[in-house]
């Protein structure tokens, strides 16, 4: 019997891999060449690591800021998203009410999300107005010493994403398996730990990984809600990229390159983990 | 979990998701909302009039077209790749999975930085380039949603259908696709959102010929006193999608009903 | 089959990398290689062309002026004008630079609202078409010796951009909260120290924050005459530390003790509107009338004139070398200089931007148009605002001061 359509030959991977590989690969190569002075906007190429040296400490500070933002927002998004997904698959009533809300949040562009979180949390924002707190007495959530508003916005949007992905992967089989487990005498806690969590884990891990990478590379949220210094890598890179000094472009590429490298390293750690969980279903 | 605990959790989560949307709703009908006032002091539709005057409606149309184009291309690509990753075994899976994650690891501005000159040099029309790049951004999402869905779907279902005499395509159409329908819909929705809400790629690669809703929002948000028009455009970006989400279960139910009748 | 795939991908990447490597050589541009001989020729070539005007879209009055006043007038001359809204003019420049590097000759940008740093960066990369402004009939209505129109932040204009309007930097305060307003820049800094937490400025390289730092430079140098307009490392090394010292002493009295700064002028304006600080600053006082009228700013908002004068500049319309509709772009630039358009644009109820025309060169009726404009209750006239106006420094000073500020003041609180 012919095995077509193939279960999962590399043939099926080809179209997706060619599109992403061509786009992302080319851009990476171009950023790499710019960072090392091989693609100047004006004048002759000057190969070398001058851009990295010129950035110095800002690069490390930016990396730290990016990692803090991405880690905290991902943890929060994964926790809230998973909790939402568990409630969503539990009852149709919840699905109707909460499902519409999560989908709404998902459809808000991050740019708009950042603007509205600013309108909510800044000193003159809605929350202090409603709570009757003077702008100067309100905690520095927007643009303060800790990127609180940035983390909250990213976690807010990405928790909806995590919830959607986990729900999609759970919806079909969970009820059946739960019933079987219940018939076999498992209590609620056992059903959650032995059935639901393992079933949700691959989707949770995959969506959390994507959320981390998104937060790590996100520009507009940190730009609108973050402080002026130190800046996370994307903001640093974007500022240098649009600098009036054309010589700053290699520095912009250097910052972007550090970001890409770390993101790839995270992805490289996550993918085998994902495969182990996914395969061991 | 007790029923009460569950209800409290639902309320808390509803608050978490809904609260940040409140300023948008209020600002979209605020003609005047001075500092310190808990609510707008003057309600009205000036934001809506201004949004229409600035071409908000055609811009929303362009955003929708962009989202649909991205979804139409990225969903099948993601389905193929998701199937391969979940059901197949190949030594290239690790590499492919990494390549498929690459766009997520690549911030849009880095992509724009890397590709703006090259795309112009290759003479690729702006619109094609924008769709192509956004498809590359959407594929990781569609792939992972569908990979997860394939992973919890039994591949033997298709085998059994074929043993009963179905062709491969028939087995796919009548057995696997119906099982995957919710995931396909979710993947298409995510891909749609990539096009619907993109700003950086549209501006840098699209070359200003494509004025979408986010372009108007960003331009408005970069100035002071534009809260009403920004809020209106944002609301308009959210409302159609919520409507779609609310009607989707009804559509699904009627589809299911027609299928069982058959 | 499967084992060939990665190799194919690798080959593709290599091919693209090679194509990239070919981009290293920048194109020569900026030369007026084939400018039309006279204005009639320009008008004929312009017929039926479409002009994409890229401009900052955060000012609804400006957007409405272009859509409702300028575009219909352009249509009468056979030119379609499309406004492309951007969040930052630098986005337009980024696009043009990419087109220049790619050697495009029918680019997406035909006209850009620019000045200062964006203009200078474009010149550095030969991105602007030059020598075309003498063709414009209405250019004769401007003063050829007006320093604001011959030099743009120390970069010679050289016919590479056509004047559009003038702007004057201004400090803005709420007269209900600041009852005894200072009258000099030094006075503002002293006021800020006496009223902790009620003043701040946007972090450079924000355009407005950057101008504020230059005002402080003029102040600590005892007048703008003491600062060489062209960048001079020696002068920088002498003067800049004084600026950092003054701003460093100011910092603990600023909003949030100077631990952080508003990221841009819009963030500062929001703080002012919300009552978190008592002063803001702007390079476009024209927008104040509207912001007070719609309730964003309090009714008691006033402009704070400085005895020593503030920095003034002009903004321009530039045509990229990569534009495919250069003739039509020139028609629009000329139209924008016409007395009717300048008068409409100067009306505070339309946009309120100050004219670049020299009133003495106008016909009587045109002059009457401009003189008849009603004054704004919030914004003084251009004559008042620009009294004792200080010139902009060359744009080479700007990145040096911006970067210096980030290191000395921002990173080292």
């Amino acid at each position: 019997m012919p095995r077509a359509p193939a279960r999962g030959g590399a043939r099926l991977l080809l179209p997706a891999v060619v599109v992403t590989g061509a786009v992302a690969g080319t851009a990476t190569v171009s950023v790499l060449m710019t960072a090392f002075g091989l693609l100047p906007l004006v004048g002759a190429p000057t190969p070398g690591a001058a851009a990295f040296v010129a950035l110095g400490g800002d690069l490390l500070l930016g990396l730290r800021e990016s990692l803090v933002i991405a880690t905290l927002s991902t943890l929060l998004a994964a926790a809230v998203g998973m909790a939402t997904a568990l409630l969503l698959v539990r009852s149709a009533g919840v699905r109707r009410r909460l499902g519409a809300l999560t989908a709404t949040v998902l459809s808000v562009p991050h740019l708009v999300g950042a603007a509205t979180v600013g309108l909510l949390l800044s000193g003159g924002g809605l929350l202090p107005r409603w709570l009757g707190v003077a702008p100067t007495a309100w905690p520095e959530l927007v643009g303060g010493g800790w990127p609180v508003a940035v983390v909250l916005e990213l976690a807010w949007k990405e928790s909806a994403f995590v919830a959607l992905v986990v729900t999609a992967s759970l919806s079909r089989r969970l009820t059946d398996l739960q019933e079987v487990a219940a018939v076999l005498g498992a209590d609620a806690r056992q059903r959650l730990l032995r059935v639901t969590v393992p079933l949700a884990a691959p989707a949770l891990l995959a969506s959390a990984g994507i959320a981390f990478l998104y937060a790590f590379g996100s520009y507009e949220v940190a730009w609108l809600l973050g402080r002026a210094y130190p800046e996370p890598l994307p903001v640093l890179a974007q500022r240098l990229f649009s600098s009036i000094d054309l010589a700053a472009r290699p520095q912009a590429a250097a910052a972007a390159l550090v970001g890409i490298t770390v993101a790839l390293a995270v992805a490289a750690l996550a993918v085998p983990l994902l495969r182990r969980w996914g395969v061991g279903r | 979990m007790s029923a009460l605990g569950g209800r409290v959790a639902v309320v808390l989560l509803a608050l978490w998701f809904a609260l940040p949307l409140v300023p948008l709703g209020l600002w979209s009908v605020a003609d005047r909302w001075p500092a310190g006032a808990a609510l707008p002091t003057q309600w009205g539709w000036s934001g809506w009039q201004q949004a229409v005057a600035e071409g908000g409606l055609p811009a929303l149309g362009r955003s929708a077209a962009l989202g649909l184009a991205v979804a139409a291309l990225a969903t099948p690509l993601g389905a193929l790749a998701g199937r391969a990753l979940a059901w197949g075994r190949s030594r290239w899976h690790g590499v492919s999975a990494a390549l498929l994650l690459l766009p997520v690891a690549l911030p849009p501005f880095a992509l724009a930085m890397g590709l703006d000159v090259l795309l112009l040099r290759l003479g690729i029309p702006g619109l094609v380039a924008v769709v192509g790049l956004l498809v590359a951004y959407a594929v990781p999402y569609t792939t992972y949603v569908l990979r997860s869905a394939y992973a919890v779907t039994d591949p033997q279902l298709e085998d059994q259908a074929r043993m009963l005499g179905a062709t491969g395509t028939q087995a796919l159409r009548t057995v696997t696709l119906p099982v995957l329908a919710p995931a396909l819909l979710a993947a298409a929705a995510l891909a749609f959102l990539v096009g619907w809400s993109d700003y950086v790629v549209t501006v840098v690669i699209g070359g200003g010929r494509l004025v979408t809703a986010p372009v108007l929002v960003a331009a408005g948000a970069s100035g002071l006193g534009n809260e009403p028009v920004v809020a209106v455009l944002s609301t308009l970006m959210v409302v159609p999608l919520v409507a779609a989400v609310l009607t989707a279960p009804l559509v699904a139910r009627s589809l299911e009903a027609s299928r069982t009748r058959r | 089959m499967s084992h060939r795939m990665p190799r194919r991908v690798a080959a593709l990447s290599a091919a693209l990398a090679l194509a990239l490597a070919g981009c290293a050589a920048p194109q020569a541009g900026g030369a007026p290689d084939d400018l039309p001989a006279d204005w009639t020729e320009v008008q004929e070539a312009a017929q039926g062309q479409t002009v994409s005007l890229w401009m900052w879209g955060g000012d609804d009055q400006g957007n409405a002026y272009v859509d409702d006043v300028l575009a219909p007038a352009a249509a009468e001359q056979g030119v379609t004008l499309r406004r492309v809204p951007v969040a930052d003019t630098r986005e337009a420049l980024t696009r043009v630079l990419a087109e220049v590097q790619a050697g495009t000759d029918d680019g997406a940008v035909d006209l850009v609202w620019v000045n200062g740093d964006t203009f200078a960066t474009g010149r550095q990369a030969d991105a602007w078409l030059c020598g075309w402004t003498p063709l414009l009939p209405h250019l004769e209505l401007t003063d050829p010796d007006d320093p604001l129109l011959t030099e743009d932040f120390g970069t010679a204009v050289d016919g590479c951009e056509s004047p559009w309007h003038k702007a004057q930097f201004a400090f803005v305060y709420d007269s209900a909260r600041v009852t005894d307003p200072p009258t000099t820049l030094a006075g503002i800094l002293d006021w800020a120290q006496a009223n902790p937490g009620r003043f701040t400025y946007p972090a450079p390289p924000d355009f407005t924050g950057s101008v504020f730092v230059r005002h402080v430079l003029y102040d600590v140098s005892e007048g703008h005459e003491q600062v060489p307009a062209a960048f001079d490392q020696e002068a920088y090394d002498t003067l800049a530390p004084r600026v950092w010292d003054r701003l460093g002493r100011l910092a603990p009295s600023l909003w949030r003790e100077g631990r952080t700064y508003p990221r841009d002028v819009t963030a500062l304006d929001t703080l002012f509107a919300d009552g978190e600080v008592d002063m803001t600053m702007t390079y476009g006082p024209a927008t104040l009338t509207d912001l007070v009228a719609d309730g964003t700013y309090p009714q008691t908002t006033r402009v704070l004139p400085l005895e020593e004068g503030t920095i003034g500049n002009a903004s321009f319309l530039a045509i990229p070398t990569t534009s495919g509709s250069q003739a039509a772009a020139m028609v629009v630039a000329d139209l924008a200089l016409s007395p009717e358009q300048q008068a409409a644009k100067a009306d505070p109820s339309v946009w309120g931007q100050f004219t670049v025309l020299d009133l003495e060169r106008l016909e009587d009726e045109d002059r009457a148009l401009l003189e008849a404009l009603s004054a704004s209750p919030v914004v003084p006239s251009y004559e008042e605002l620009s009294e004792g106006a200080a010139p902009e420094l060359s744009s080479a000073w700007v990145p040096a001061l911006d970067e210096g500020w980030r290191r000395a003041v921002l990173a080292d609180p």
Side-chain angles (χ1 to χ4, degrees):
Chain A
M1 191 169 58
R3 282 190 50 85
R7 275 229 190 123
R11 200 153 58 83
L12 295 183
L13 279 168
L14 196 63
V17 169
V18 165
V19 169
T20 55
V23 168
T26 315
T28 311
V29 170
S30 161
V31 168
L32 190 79
M33 290 174 70
T34 309
F36 287 100
L38 297 171
L39 277 182
L41 206 54
V42 189
T46 48
F52 294 87
V53 177
L55 274 179
D58 282 0
L59 214 48
L60 290 177
L61 278 175
L63 180 60
R64 194 187 65 186
E65 191 79 359
S66 288
L67 286 173
V68 166
I69 289 172
T71 309
L72 293 179
S73 60
T74 305
L75 288 176
L76 198 53
V80 177
M82 182 71 187
T84 309
L86 290 180
L87 286 171
L88 284 177
V89 293
R90 228 164 52 127
S91 91
V94 173
R95 200 149 49 236
R96 255 199 318 279
R97 272 165 280 156
L98 214 51
L101 256 183
T102 49
T104 306
V105 172
L106 200 67
S107 64
V108 177
H110 271 285
L111 183 69
V112 172
T116 181
V117 166
L119 290 174
L120 186 73
L121 296 181
S122 67
L126 202 59
L127 269 192
R129 286 187 196 198
W130 282 3
L131 298 173
V133 179
T136 40
W138 186 249
E140 299 176 4
L141 305 179
V142 175
W146 284 89
V148 182
V150 183
V151 167
L152 286 177
E153 199 283 342
L154 289 165
W156 175 63
K157 279 275 302 161
E158 298 302 320
S159 63
F161 172 69
V162 171
L164 181 93
V165 174
V166 173
T167 311
S169 79
L170 280 182
S171 54
R172 282 279 158 173
R173 290 176 81 209
L174 184 63
T175 337
D176 302 348
L177 286 174
Q178 291 262 30
E179 276 163 19
V180 173
V183 168
L184 292 177
D187 61 24
R189 190 188 148 79
Q190 281 173 325
R191 287 205 300 274
L192 178 73
L193 289 180
R194 296 283 174 80
V195 179
T196 312
V197 170
L199 207 55
L204 178 65
L205 204 68
S207 55
I210 289 174
F212 180 92
L213 293 175
Y214 185 88
F216 188 77
S218 144
Y219 162 73
E220 59 267 55
V221 182
W223 182 75
L224 272 169
L225 299 176
R227 54 182 162 166
Y229 185 90
E231 311 150 295
L233 288 177
V235 179
L236 177 68
Q238 180 71 21
R239 177 170 62 78
L240 293 166
F241 182 59
S242 56
S243 166
I244 51 176
D245 182 5
L246 291 181
R249 283 203 171 201
Q251 294 179 28
L257 190 64
V258 171
I260 294 171
T261 311
V262 173
L264 287 182
V266 171
L269 286 175
V271 168
L273 209 59
L274 209 60
R275 267 179 64 73
R276 202 183 312 152
W277 281 86
V279 171
R281 66 180 183 268
Chain B
M1 221 187 304
S2 73
L4 180 68
R7 214 164 300 152
V8 170
V10 171
V11 169
L12 283 179
L13 284 173
L15 208 60
W16 161 263
F17 285 118
L19 196 57
L21 296 170
V22 175
L24 282 190
L26 289 177
W27 270 110
S28 68
V29 287
D31 272 3
R32 183 190 281 262
W33 194 355
L39 288 173
T41 53
Q42 202 176 314
W43 305 81
W45 303 102
S46 67
W48 296 80
Q49 288 158 357
Q50 200 189 325
V52 171
E54 295 203 352
L57 297 179
L60 282 163
R62 283 178 215 116
S63 286
L66 190 59
L68 288 175
V70 172
L73 291 167
T75 314
L77 291 182
L80 293 178
R83 182 185 172 99
L85 287 175
W87 284 5
R89 300 270 187 283
S90 149
R91 61 202 168 103
W92 300 115
H93 275 191
V95 178
S96 304
L99 271 176
L100 285 172
L101 257 184
L102 200 57
V104 182
L106 210 63
F109 72 86
L111 189 97
M113 227 186 255
L115 290 179
D116 56 351
V117 176
L118 184 70
L119 287 168
L120 284 167
R121 180 157 278 213
L122 295 176
I124 297 172
L127 196 58
V128 175
V130 170
V131 172
L133 294 197
L134 292 177
V135 166
Y137 263 111
V139 160
Y141 295 88
T142 56
T143 302
Y144 277 88
V145 170
L146 289 163
R147 192 208 70 88
S148 306
Y150 268 109
V152 294
T153 306
D154 195 337
Q156 288 180 357
L157 278 177
E158 258 183 44
D159 293 346
Q160 285 162 1
R162 279 210 299 281
M163 254 182 277
L164 294 172
T167 63
T169 325
Q170 276 173 335
L172 183 71
R173 211 181 54 225
T174 56
V175 177
T176 315
L177 284 187
V179 174
L180 286 178
L184 280 171
L185 203 66
L190 285 176
F192 176 85
L193 287 175
V194 169
W196 174 253
S197 58
D198 172 73
Y199 169 65
V200 173
V201 174
T202 309
V203 166
V204 178
I205 306 294
R209 292 208 167 112
L210 197 62
V211 178
T212 58
V215 172
L216 288 183
V217 170
S222 69
L224 189 72
N226 298 331
E227 285 91 349
V229 67
V230 169
V232 167
L233 286 166
S234 308
T235 308
L236 285 173
M237 288 197 72
V238 171
V239 167
L241 301 181
V242 177
V245 169
L246 291 179
T247 51
L250 301 177
V251 176
R253 220 171 298 150
S254 67
L255 278 178
E256 204 137 315
S258 72
R259 196 159 43 225
T260 25
R261 245 179 277 128
R262 231 193 298 144
Chain C
M1 174 113 214
S2 61
H3 65 278
R4 260 175 33 212
M5 178 192 65
R7 203 180 300 161
R8 209 184 294 172
V9 174
L12 192 66
S13 311
L16 288 169
L18 279 177
L20 273 174
C23 298
Q27 308 286 312
D33 30 86
D34 45 7
L35 279 177
D38 60 33
W39 188 243
T40 328
E41 205 178 299
V42 173
Q43 282 176 310
E44 278 165 16
Q47 292 309 309
Q49 287 186 342
T50 297
V51 173
S52 291
L53 165 61
W54 288 48
M55 59 183 268
W56 178 60
D59 181 352
D60 53 352
Q61 279 190 304
N63 296 343
Y65 161 72
V66 171
D67 291 347
D68 304 338
V69 183
L70 189 59
E76 278 172 27
Q77 306 216 6
V79 172
T80 310
L81 179 62
R82 261 183 88 247
R83 181 174 58 84
V84 177
V86 289
D88 189 328
T89 306
R90 288 171 192 175
E91 283 166 19
L93 183 70
T94 303
R95 173 74 190 188
V96 172
L97 292 178
E99 288 180 353
V100 168
Q101 207 182 13
T104 310
D105 58 7
D106 188 16
V109 191
D110 301 307
L111 205 56
V112 195
W113 176 25
V114 288
N115 76 350
D117 50 3
T118 20
F119 175 67
T121 307
R123 287 226 66 187
Q124 205 184 326
D126 286 331
W128 306 129
L129 187 71
C130 286
W132 54 276
T133 56
L135 288 167
L136 308 184
H138 285 122
L139 192 75
E140 282 176 15
L141 302 179
T142 64
D143 179 355
D145 299 322
D146 186 340
L148 282 181
L149 305 187
T150 54
E151 286 213 341
D152 184 353
F153 281 62
T155 303
V157 168
D158 283 347
C160 305
E161 52 178 2
S162 147
W164 202 16
H165 42 252
K166 287 185 179 176
Q168 192 69 36
F169 189 83
F171 288 92
V172 177
Y173 71 105
D174 180 356
S175 57
R177 286 176 275 162
V178 184
T179 45
D180 188 17
T183 55
T184 60
L185 186 90
I188 290 178
L189 302 186
D190 291 341
W191 179 89
Q193 280 179 299
N195 296 274
R198 306 305 299 171
F199 182 84
T200 190
Y201 53 95
D206 172 75
F207 193 73
T208 307
S210 187
V211 186
F212 173 78
V213 171
R214 294 199 286 283
H215 276 102
V216 176
L217 170 69
Y218 285 168
D219 181 59
V220 299
S221 313
E222 282 150 16
H224 64 81
E225 303 82 3
Q226 311 302 317
V227 185
F231 182 73
D232 173 0
Q233 188 66 43
E234 208 173 308
Y236 178 87
D237 291 340
T238 323
L239 297 174
R242 285 195 234 162
V243 178
W244 312 147
D245 175 60
R246 183 72 193 91
L247 290 175
R249 276 189 288 125
L250 176 69
S253 314
L254 293 177
W255 173 75
R256 290 187 178 172
E257 292 92 42
R259 281 175 285 111
T260 187
Y261 292 79
R263 71 186 145 77
D264 60 13
V265 71
T266 309
L268 174 64
D269 288 342
T270 307
L271 291 179
F272 178 71
D274 288 341
E276 286 197 63
V277 295
D278 295 333
M279 289 191 196
T280 182
M281 50 195 83
T282 175
Y283 222 140
T287 56
L288 289 173
T289 316
D290 204 32
L291 288 171
V292 170
D294 73 10
T296 308
Y297 282 173
Q299 295 293 325
T300 41
T301 300
R302 294 288 176 272
V303 164
L304 187 119
L306 294 189
E307 279 169 19
E308 69 266 38
T310 58
I311 298 180
N313 74 16
S315 57
F316 299 80
L317 292 169
I319 304 177
T321 50
T322 53
S323 159
S325 307
Q326 290 174 346
M330 289 177 204
V331 168
V332 174
D334 183 61
L335 180 67
L337 268 177
S338 66
E340 299 77 32
Q341 289 291 330
Q342 288 277 317
K345 187 158 54 87
D347 184 342
S349 68
V350 177
W351 196 3
Q353 294 285 5
F354 304 125
T355 183
V356 287
L357 300 182
D358 180 1
L359 293 188
E360 290 177 10
R361 289 165 202 265
L362 298 183
E363 304 282 341
D364 288 344
E365 49 193 296
D366 289 340
R367 190 182 314 126
L369 267 181
L370 277 157
E371 281 173 346
L373 290 176
S374 57
S376 154
V378 185
V379 187
S381 69
Y382 181 72
E383 287 66 40
E384 249 175 277
L385 269 176
S386 63
E387 205 175 325
E392 273 290 5
L393 291 171
S394 88
S395 48
W397 273 95
V398 178
L401 284 169
D402 289 353
E403 201 44 44
W405 180 85
R406 293 191 79 83
R407 299 210 176 283
V409 182
L410 184 62
D412 185 29

